Amino acid sequence: MGRKKQKLKIIPLGGLAEIGKNMTVVEYGNDIVIVDCGLTFPSEEMLGIDIVIPDITYLEKNKDKIKGLVITHGHEDHIGAVPYILKKLDIKVYATKLTLGLIKNKFSEHKLSTENLREVQAGSRIKLGKFDIEFIRASHSIPDSCSIAIKSPVGTVLFTGDFKIDYTPIDGCLMDLPRLAALGDEGVLCLLSDSTNVEREGYTMSERRVGETFKDVFSTATARIIVATFASNLHRVQQVISASEYFGRKVAVSGRSMVNTISVALELGYLKVKKGTMIDINRIDDYEPNQITILTTGSQGEPMSALARMASGEHRKVKLTPLDLVVISASPIPGNEKTVFNVLNKLTEIGCQIVYQALAEVHVSGHACKEELKLIHTLVRPKYFIPVHGEIRHLKLHAKLAMDLGLSPENILIGKNGTVFEMDDESIEIAGEVEAGDVLVDGLGVGDVGSVVLRDRKHLAEDGLIVVVITISKQERNVVAGPDIISRGFVYVKESLDLMEECRRVVEKTLENSNDEKLYDWATLKYNIRDDLKTFLFKEIKRNPMILPIIMEV
Amino acid sequence: MGRKKQKLKIIPLGGLAEIGKNMTVVEYGNDIVIVDCGLTFPSEEMLGIDIVIPDITYLEKNKDKIKGLVITHGHEDHIGAVPYILKKLDIKVYATKLTLGLIKNKFSEHKLSTENLREVQAGSRIKLGKFDIEFIRASHSIPDSCSIAIKSPVGTVLFTGDFKIDYTPIDGCLMDLPRLAALGDEGVLCLLSDSTNVEREGYTMSERRVGETFKDVFSTATARIIVATFASNLHRVQQVISASEYFGRKVAVSGRSMVNTISVALELGYLKVKKGTMIDINRIDDYEPNQITILTTGSQGEPMSALARMASGEHRKVKLTPLDLVVISASPIPGNEKTVFNVLNKLTEIGCQIVYQALAEVHVSGHACKEELKLIHTLVRPKYFIPVHGEIRHLKLHAKLAMDLGLSPENILIGKNGTVFEMDDESIEIAGEVEAGDVLVDGLGVGDVGSVVLRDRKHLAEDGLIVVVITISKQERNVVAGPDIISRGFVYVKESLDLMEECRRVVEKTLENSNDEKLYDWATLKYNIRDDLKTFLFKEIKRNPMILPIIMEV
């Protein structure tokens, strides 16, 4: 019994049955390695929330076991929570050069020391506790992306990370498919693979396809060209720069994240730019319009982004004219369609030429479609499979894909954040659940907004608020001031004076009906005020504002 | 000079440079005819709003001129505002049988008399003032749709209404293309044509394509089939019923709008159903699961819809099982992607088989793509063209399409709601603007919620509320109770007692710094409280709640 091996645990704390905030724990005995540490953006009902990060209660309870955090690539849903987690856990972070550069950027914003950050190369290995960890080059919509293989005493676990298979990548860095095949030969215990595009048939087009469209589109431009894309998509940025150089244009940059990312990329050598191509946004008027390209944020129509400000005429440096050509080199992330359409409409009003995905191939996805996913399964031939990076319907479709390729259903498990997957070379099973969930960040507050606060915000958002204030005399046991009725977000008060006056009368009646005794039972009094007013308002106007009775005592 | 003809005016009050709430005024001398009277659904920032209808100030000012309201078809964006407008204007409404049936349904909900409603046939004409009005059969995603030609002393104006060209329509009612061609021969002064799908190349597929998919999909089902689609798409409903009959299934209906629409359609003869096919939803358990189809609302993932309730296990009549097959026969309207995905994920969790647009051809659009639009232009050969039913980018693309077909740019005008297009046989121009815009309906209130109320709702939604109450003695000129601090939607109060206490101290300090004089200048005092607290909170926690200082006097 003494030599019986322990089981290997894989515990996703984020990114399972959701898209975003990826974070997975790999645990063997007294060793833990964490893979990725991302954020997600709030859903519509998370009113006022800035970002969402994973709940790391499990890691805080097991902090002595943690040997390190390894990162696949530099997208927000893989690195965005690093500063928040590092404030709570003193751990080393391992990532490739560009990824680390982007993390450092965040650390300086958060005023955190970078002493825990460690650079690794794609193709290299590190040892963390009992784990041998290998970074394997992957292709994705940001350079320096990796798959990560974690060799444990029980077997090897392979995280694909986010990927697509691009045989002609812009930076020439091919996904290391031979190494994945070799790992398959050596034997992979468990594969965790990206499921984002599993609903799509076929292959994702090469990033180069967009470059061809850029050449076509740029050749028609007679004045300035403005290209909006994801700041982190440096392949795309490279293609905009290359196309601009080809047509003799200078490139200026607008938008905080675009400026930041490009400056990190230039500094670290991730962009090939001829001397003199990049110019300061303040210098664009020193050139003819047909000598200028502007790279900008705002491809999702974000209301405060540089492109949205240009479209509204509120950008301080760039005033668009009908001669300018605007290219939105992105597709709307589900939920962002309307903001993107708003920007397109404003650009149309200005009269700009506009090119967007509905009209031309100015974007390709960064994620693998079905046939690419099949290739990875076929090369890696894992014993077990856990589909990741997807909502539940993606995970199930990906499981089905693996079954179609011959993997037996009991070797495929679908879980959610917090699920404990336990495995050895004989079996895999779900062995429990740990604390996991969303931690909401609002301003400087981390985790101090929860369901009650959000419910109140939603209530206030729907129908506004009525405050009822009365002052009661302790000695005389009567109302000495009020009821005063104040409303916000409810009705135009000036046009609804009668209604407000009726509200006051309703409350007065409630007070009259409360004998002296009840005037001192504030809970009951407040309840009655709320109830009477609510009934009145629903009958009168079919609205249900939050009613806040306040009693002062003098 | 006496015999000089007056000019014809076309004034859109809704539906121009937006998708939704279509309503257009056609005016000649002392005669006005209104075409359509629709609603639109609130945009994301219209917190708490139920629906949006057109501003009809212009019509109220010119009510004596109005000869009637003519309707193209029975979709909400063409009939949804009829009850609201009829409460303000005593006018006759002309529409085909099904359209009228759907309007009557609304009138009974609004407890309105139906005496002003008049039935017309596709292919027939009516005379309203100096206008000769012809209803011309069109094909669209609801039966009994029409284009409307309005012959005025100056010339004929043709409204296509919403349409697609379906050569094999489910109900056999072909779009009357020969009549459009004949109108072209007679001469059309101005065309107003649907622009919804002008971004799409080629042709929209025939509705029959979906029927073929239904047959394929239904043939694989071993238990119940649940199909969610738009209630108003009676062609789709017909195909679900036909496919069910083919496979020996009974059809039950769930969801208020689906029940209403189907009952109107059955009553008026717009559905071909074998005797005994339709059963009450309460009787579904009397049959084997493979003998049942359920037609339901909720194809947009609407949280309170029948399908959403089934997916959450909250539907009282239908408990889904992993054997059930759910078909979402619709595509998400932009902005609804996330709610649709939510429902798909919940259905996946239950383990249902699901079929949706990403996986099979279970939906086709009801609107014409580019080649169909070109056909209409080519048949009608109008002198002037006003693109309608589209956001500004659609209108411009449609204008470009018309130019590509040879229409001269000065004969094409793009406007917005309120634009007055004025024309005769010599020229068309924009001759001014009338009042037009959004009227917001919230509960029973029509137009009593405006920008100030919405701004407050947004503020409350983002960061919640802090109420500061103090009671001041008139005689003693001092604070006799408070400051009390109450918050909602701001922070978890229990976990932020320190913060709330600090807020109290900030206000106390503000009060201390206010001398007696200021204590009586309430405006200044309130301003100072708000300002000091706001500064403190932003520094402390980077949030900006609404701060509501209330002063009581005793």
Side-chain angles (χ1 to χ4, degrees):
Chain A
M1 291 292 286
R3 48 182 293 278
K4 191 175 187 310
K5 275 190 202 154
Q6 284 180 286
K7 290 194 173 186
L8 181 73
K9 289 182 192 165
I10 296 179
I11 311 171
L13 296 180
L16 207 59
E18 69 173 337
I19 289 184
K21 72 174 173 55
N22 297 287
M23 184 175 207
T24 310
V25 175
V26 179
E27 181 172 349
Y28 181 80
N30 284 319
D31 291 332
I32 279 179
V33 163
I34 309 160
V35 180
D36 288 334
C37 184
L39 59 74
T40 191
F41 294 100
S43 58
E44 221 168 278
E45 67 276 11
M46 295 180 182
L47 295 166
I49 299 304
D50 301 323
I51 63 167
V52 182
I53 60 175
D55 181 338
I56 55 157
T57 308
Y58 181 75
L59 290 173
E60 289 179 291
K61 284 183 187 159
N62 291 283
K63 62 180 170 201
D64 296 337
K65 292 187 177 182
I66 304 172
K67 302 298 180 255
L69 165 60
V70 295
I71 307 277
T72 57
H73 66 284
H75 278 152
E76 287 294 347
D77 55 337
H78 293 256
I79 66 169
V82 176
Y84 296 93
I85 304 309
L86 268 271
K87 283 175 193 168
K88 299 203 163 190
L89 299 172
D90 180 30
I91 53 178
K92 303 273 186 295
V93 181
Y94 302 85
T96 51
K97 191 158 141 191
L98 177 68
T99 308
L100 215 60
L102 295 169
I103 295 175
K104 276 183 186 160
N105 228 346
K106 290 182 181 297
F107 274 39
S108 75
E109 279 171 24
H110 281 262
K111 298 187 177 56
L112 281 171
S113 146
T114 57
E115 59 180 357
N116 275 345
L117 305 183
R118 298 284 181 275
E119 188 181 318
V120 296
Q121 268 77 45
S124 74
R125 296 171 185 221
I126 57 173
K127 194 153 171 67
L128 295 178
K130 289 195 192 62
F131 298 114
D132 246 317
I133 293 165
E134 180 177 354
F135 291 80
I136 301 160
R137 195 179 293 290
S139 42
H140 186 42
S141 45
I142 186 170
D144 237 4
S145 295
C146 289
S147 301
I148 291 179
I150 301 182
K151 202 175 204 172
S152 79
V154 176
T156 300
V157 177
L158 178 65
F159 291 80
T160 62
D162 291 2
F163 76 98
K164 68 187 277 188
I165 296 175
D166 194 335
Y167 296 106
T168 54
I170 299 305
D171 59 3
C173 296
L174 275 163
M175 182 153 179
D176 197 349
L177 296 173
R179 180 60 196 140
L180 295 183
L183 277 172
D185 290 342
E186 294 165 21
V188 169
L189 183 70
C190 185
L191 171 68
L192 293 93
S193 173
D194 184 5
S195 312
T196 311
N197 270 352
V198 70
E199 288 172 314
R200 300 197 196 165
E201 299 292 335
Y203 282 89
T204 301
M205 299 284 280
S206 169
E207 176 65 30
R208 262 182 219 279
R209 180 70 196 82
V210 178
E212 291 162 24
T213 310
F214 280 168
K215 282 214 174 156
D216 291 348
V217 169
F218 278 33
S219 71
T220 68
T222 55
R224 294 183 300 188
I225 297 172
I226 292 89
V227 183
T229 191
F230 299 105
S232 62
N233 194 335
L234 290 167
H235 304 310
R236 193 67 50 82
V237 167
Q238 177 69 64
Q239 298 204 92
V240 173
I241 293 172
S242 302
S244 299
E245 288 175 340
Y246 182 86
F247 288 102
R249 289 174 180 264
K250 304 289 176 189
V251 178
V253 182
S254 180
R256 200 172 64 103
S257 65
M258 189 64 85
V259 170
N260 282 345
T261 312
I262 290 183
S263 101
V264 170
L266 283 171
E267 194 184 315
L268 302 180
Y270 283 86
L271 286 172
K272 280 186 202 143
V273 184
K274 288 189 190 140
K275 215 175 154 186
T277 294
M278 306 304 291
I279 62 164
D280 192 278
I281 189 85
N282 289 307
R283 285 186 52 216
I284 53 175
D285 293 333
D286 299 350
Y287 297 84
E288 294 299 315
N290 67 4
Q291 295 178 315
I292 291 294
T293 299
I294 300 168
L295 252 168
T296 176
T297 53
S299 66
Q300 296 300 308
E302 306 90 324
M304 302 302 291
S305 66
L307 182 64
R309 282 182 283 127
M310 290 178 204
S312 315
E314 287 161 7
H315 195 287
R316 280 181 306 143
K317 310 284 171 61
V318 183
K319 301 288 166 211
L320 294 179
T321 79
L323 297 173
D324 293 327
L325 166 70
V326 179
V327 181
I328 299 194
S329 179
S331 59
I333 294 170
N336 292 349
E337 288 80 0
K338 284 200 172 178
T339 52
V340 173
F341 293 161
N342 275 344
V343 166
L344 288 176
N345 288 329
K346 283 182 186 163
L347 293 170
T348 307
E349 270 175 61
I350 294 172
C352 303
Q353 285 184 70
I354 49 177
V355 178
Y356 50 101
Q357 214 196 4
L359 307 181
E361 281 192 274
V362 285
H363 181 65
V364 294
S365 171
H367 296 273
C369 293
K370 265 181 159 175
E371 295 306 307
E372 293 158 90
L373 297 174
K374 288 181 192 167
L375 172 55
I376 296 303
H377 282 269
T378 304
L379 292 178
V380 173
R381 293 150 283 160
K383 188 172 176 72
Y384 309 126
F385 173 50
I386 302 174
V388 296
H389 299 348
E391 298 177 5
I392 180 87
R393 69 184 191 285
H394 301 110
L395 305 182
K396 287 246 181 151
L397 282 171
H398 203 172
K400 187 176 174 305
L401 180 146
M403 282 183 242
D404 290 347
L405 295 174
L407 199 61
S408 119
E410 68 268 21
N411 287 0
I412 305 171
L413 286 183
I414 288 176
K416 55 181 202 260
N417 296 333
T419 298
V420 179
F421 298 98
E422 217 174 63
M423 67 198 78
D424 57 17
D425 46 18
E426 279 164 19
S427 66
I428 182 168
E429 60 173 358
I430 290 178
E433 206 171 311
V434 305
E435 224 167 306
D438 293 338
V439 172
L440 310 186
V441 179
D442 179 3
L444 295 182
V446 179
D448 66 344
V449 170
S451 57
V452 176
V453 173
L454 289 180
R455 200 186 55 207
D456 282 351
R457 285 183 185 175
K458 186 167 161 52
H459 190 173
L460 290 164
E462 286 291 315
D463 278 323
L465 164 89
I466 290 185
V467 184
V468 179
V469 205
I470 45 178
T471 305
I472 291 179
S473 160
K474 220 181 307 193
Q475 293 165 337
E476 299 165 26
R477 293 195 170 201
N478 60 356
V479 175
V480 292
D484 284 6
I485 311 273
I486 298 107
S487 88
R488 286 291 184 280
F490 172 56
V491 289
Y492 268 144
V493 172
K494 277 186 194 162
E495 290 176 11
S496 310
L497 287 176
D498 290 353
L499 184 67
M500 299 314 285
E501 179 54 28
E502 280 182 80
C503 286
R504 223 174 58 80
R505 257 182 262 135
V506 169
V507 176
E508 271 172 359
K509 210 161 168 191
T510 312
L511 292 170
E512 280 165 27
N513 294 341
S514 305
N515 56 30
D516 289 358
E517 217 53 59
K518 278 205 192 123
L519 271 191
Y520 278 78
D521 177 2
W522 287 9
T524 306
L525 183 59
K526 283 182 182 177
Y527 178 87
N528 289 341
I529 290 174
R530 201 178 281 128
D531 203 47
D532 292 352
L533 206 48
K534 183 178 162 160
T535 307
F536 167 75
L537 285 171
F538 194 76
K539 188 169 147 274
E540 200 62 22
I541 190 166
K542 286 251 167 38
R543 287 183 207 165
N544 179 26
M546 180 183 283
I547 297 169
L548 202 58
I550 301 175
I551 300 174
M552 302 284 285
E553 202 182 44
V554 291
Chain B
M1 289 295 286
R3 48 182 291 280
K4 192 176 188 307
K5 274 189 202 155
Q6 282 179 287
K7 290 192 174 187
L8 179 74
K9 288 182 193 166
I10 296 179
I11 310 171
L13 295 180
L16 207 58
E18 69 173 339
I19 289 183
K21 72 175 174 53
N22 297 286
M23 184 174 207
T24 309
V25 174
V26 180
E27 182 172 349
Y28 181 80
N30 284 319
D31 291 333
I32 279 179
V33 163
I34 308 161
V35 180
D36 288 333
C37 184
L39 60 74
T40 191
F41 294 101
S43 58
E44 222 168 277
E45 66 276 11
M46 294 180 183
L47 294 166
I49 298 304
D50 301 324
I51 62 166
V52 182
I53 60 175
D55 180 339
I56 55 156
T57 308
Y58 181 74
L59 290 173
E60 290 179 291
K61 284 182 187 161
N62 291 282
K63 63 179 171 202
D64 296 337
K65 291 187 176 181
I66 304 173
K67 301 298 179 257
L69 164 60
V70 295
I71 308 278
T72 57
H73 65 284
H75 277 151
E76 288 294 347
D77 55 336
H78 293 256
I79 66 168
V82 177
Y84 295 93
I85 304 309
L86 268 272
K87 283 176 194 168
K88 299 203 162 191
L89 299 172
D90 180 32
I91 53 177
K92 303 272 185 294
V93 181
Y94 302 85
T96 52
K97 191 158 141 191
L98 177 67
T99 308
L100 215 61
L102 296 169
I103 295 175
K104 276 182 187 159
N105 230 345
K106 289 181 181 296
F107 273 40
S108 75
E109 279 171 24
H110 282 261
K111 299 187 175 59
L112 280 171
S113 146
T114 57
E115 60 179 357
N116 275 346
L117 305 184
R118 298 283 181 278
E119 189 181 319
V120 296
Q121 267 79 45
S124 74
R125 296 172 184 220
I126 56 172
K127 195 154 171 65
L128 296 177
K130 289 196 191 64
F131 299 115
D132 246 317
I133 292 164
E134 180 177 353
F135 291 79
I136 301 160
R137 194 179 292 291
S139 42
H140 185 42
S141 46
I142 186 169
D144 237 5
S145 295
C146 289
S147 300
I148 291 180
I150 301 183
K151 202 176 205 172
S152 78
V154 176
T156 300
V157 177
L158 177 66
F159 291 80
T160 63
D162 291 1
F163 76 98
K164 67 188 278 188
I165 296 174
D166 193 334
Y167 296 106
T168 55
I170 299 304
D171 59 4
C173 296
L174 276 163
M175 182 152 178
D176 196 348
L177 296 174
R179 181 60 195 138
L180 295 183
L183 277 172
D185 290 342
E186 295 164 20
V188 169
L189 183 69
C190 186
L191 171 69
L192 293 93
S193 173
D194 184 4
S195 312
T196 311
N197 270 353
V198 70
E199 288 172 315
R200 301 196 195 165
E201 299 292 335
Y203 282 89
T204 300
M205 299 283 281
S206 168
E207 176 66 28
R208 263 183 219 281
R209 181 68 196 84
V210 178
E212 291 163 23
T213 310
F214 281 168
K215 283 215 171 153
D216 291 348
V217 168
F218 278 34
S219 71
T220 68
T222 55
R224 294 183 299 187
I225 299 172
I226 292 89
V227 183
T229 191
F230 300 105
S232 62
N233 194 335
L234 289 167
H235 305 308
R236 192 69 48 82
V237 167
Q238 177 68 64
Q239 298 204 90
V240 172
I241 292 171
S242 302
S244 299
E245 288 175 340
Y246 181 86
F247 288 102
R249 290 174 180 263
K250 305 288 177 190
V251 178
V253 182
S254 180
R256 200 172 63 103
S257 65
M258 190 63 86
V259 169
N260 281 346
T261 312
I262 289 182
S263 102
V264 170
L266 283 172
E267 194 184 315
L268 301 181
Y270 284 86
L271 286 172
K272 281 186 202 141
V273 185
K274 288 189 189 139
K275 214 177 156 183
T277 294
M278 306 305 291
I279 62 165
D280 192 279
I281 189 85
N282 290 307
R283 286 186 52 216
I284 53 175
D285 292 334
D286 299 350
Y287 297 84
E288 293 300 315
N290 66 6
Q291 296 177 315
I292 292 293
T293 299
I294 300 168
L295 252 169
T296 176
T297 52
S299 66
Q300 296 301 307
E302 306 91 324
M304 302 303 290
S305 66
L307 182 65
R309 282 182 283 127
M310 291 178 204
S312 315
E314 287 161 8
H315 195 286
R316 280 181 306 144
K317 310 285 171 60
V318 184
K319 301 288 165 211
L320 294 180
T321 79
L323 297 173
D324 293 328
L325 167 69
V326 179
V327 181
I328 301 195
S329 179
S331 58
I333 294 170
N336 291 350
E337 289 80 0
K338 284 198 172 180
T339 54
V340 173
F341 293 161
N342 275 343
V343 167
L344 289 176
N345 288 329
K346 283 182 187 164
L347 293 170
T348 308
E349 269 175 62
I350 294 171
C352 304
Q353 285 184 69
I354 50 177
V355 178
Y356 50 101
Q357 214 196 4
L359 307 181
E361 282 191 274
V362 285
H363 181 65
V364 294
S365 171
H367 296 272
C369 292
K370 266 181 158 174
E371 295 306 306
E372 293 158 90
L373 297 174
K374 287 180 193 168
L375 172 55
I376 296 302
H377 281 270
T378 304
L379 292 178
V380 173
R381 292 150 283 161
K383 187 173 177 72
Y384 309 127
F385 173 51
I386 302 174
V388 297
H389 300 346
E391 298 177 4
I392 180 88
R393 70 185 190 285
H394 302 109
L395 305 183
K396 285 247 183 152
L397 283 170
H398 203 172
K400 188 175 172 304
L401 180 146
M403 282 183 241
D404 289 348
L405 294 175
L407 201 60
S408 119
E410 68 269 19
N411 287 0
I412 305 171
L413 286 184
I414 289 177
K416 55 181 203 256
N417 296 332
T419 298
V420 179
F421 297 99
E422 216 174 65
M423 68 199 75
D424 57 18
D425 47 19
E426 279 164 20
S427 67
I428 182 168
E429 60 174 358
I430 291 179
E433 206 173 309
V434 305
E435 225 167 306
D438 293 338
V439 171
L440 310 186
V441 179
D442 179 4
L444 295 183
V446 178
D448 66 345
V449 170
S451 58
V452 176
V453 174
L454 289 180
R455 201 186 55 207
D456 282 351
R457 286 184 184 173
K458 185 168 164 48
H459 190 174
L460 290 164
E462 286 290 314
D463 278 323
L465 166 87
I466 292 185
V467 183
V468 180
V469 205
I470 44 179
T471 304
I472 291 179
S473 158
K474 221 180 308 193
Q475 293 165 339
E476 298 165 27
R477 293 196 170 200
N478 60 356
V479 176
V480 291
D484 285 6
I485 311 274
I486 300 107
S487 88
R488 287 290 185 280
F490 173 55
V491 290
Y492 267 143
V493 173
K494 276 186 194 161
E495 289 176 13
S496 310
L497 287 177
D498 289 354
L499 184 68
M500 300 314 286
E501 180 54 29
E502 281 182 80
C503 286
R504 224 174 57 80
R505 257 181 263 134
V506 169
V507 177
E508 272 173 357
K509 211 161 168 191
T510 313
L511 292 170
E512 279 165 29
N513 293 341
S514 305
N515 55 29
D516 290 357
E517 217 53 60
K518 279 206 192 121
L519 271 189
Y520 279 78
D521 177 2
W522 287 10
T524 307
L525 184 58
K526 283 183 183 178
Y527 177 85
N528 289 341
I529 290 174
R530 202 179 280 129
D531 202 47
D532 291 352
L533 206 48
K534 183 180 161 158
T535 308
F536 166 75
L537 285 170
F538 194 76
K539 190 168 146 274
E540 201 63 20
I541 191 166
K542 286 254 166 35
R543 287 184 208 165
N544 179 27
M546 180 183 282
I547 298 169
L548 203 56
I550 300 175
I551 301 173
M552 302 283 286
E553 200 181 45
V554 291

